[in-house]
Amino acid sequence: MSRLDSFIRRLVAQREILDMICQEMTLPEGIVIELGLGNGRTYDHLRERLSDRRIIAFDRVSAAHKSSTPEPDNLVLGEIDVTAKKFFGIGAALVHADIGSGYDDLDAVNLAWLPDVTLELLAPSGIAASGVRMDHPRLQRLPLPPTVAEGRYHIYRKLS
């Protein structure tokens, strides 16, 4: 499969999973966290789907399109594993993490902190969606939509 086809499949999977979460799953009360703002496409999608919730986006630097850039009080810049610690216990209903690089060695660095940070941000029974697999005993894997290939994207619920 070409890298373009793989990219398209990943984005389609991401959209289908986020739509399923927003439309079909029960989310607890709370804010939404976007780990890895990038160019802001996913943030913009979540902003449309969850317009009644505050969304806080994190990234190392701001590179989002101006129409998809959060207001300054909802944008946290710096190393995510460091900046997110200030928000531990915030009780997020949803944490979306799209910070995978496609390089196993670089992703391993993020996976050293991502599951724990996600867990600390989530409310009890909160949902996490990620482009990389997050193994943690308090994150229960949830089934994917039938149109999403296993391993393409991941959904979890925080166990109490």
Side-chain angles (χ1 to χ4, degrees), residues 44-101:
D44 186 57
H45 193 73
L46 288 169
R47 185 173 56 182
E48 281 188 5
R49 299 299 186 271
L50 299 171
S51 60
D52 60 331
R53 296 191 190 238
R54 179 180 181 199
I55 302 172
I56 302 175
F58 293 74
D59 213 326
R60 295 172 78 192
V61 296
S62 180
H65 188 274
K66 66 180 182 176
S67 67
S68 300
T69 299
E71 297 296 321
D73 59 335
N74 291 323
L75 178 61
V76 181
L77 299 177
E79 295 299 324
I80 297 170
D81 61 325
V82 174
T83 59
K85 289 179 182 176
K86 298 174 192 166
F87 293 83
F88 281 8
I90 198 165
L94 171 64
V95 172
H96 175 252
D98 187 18
I99 59 174
S101 67

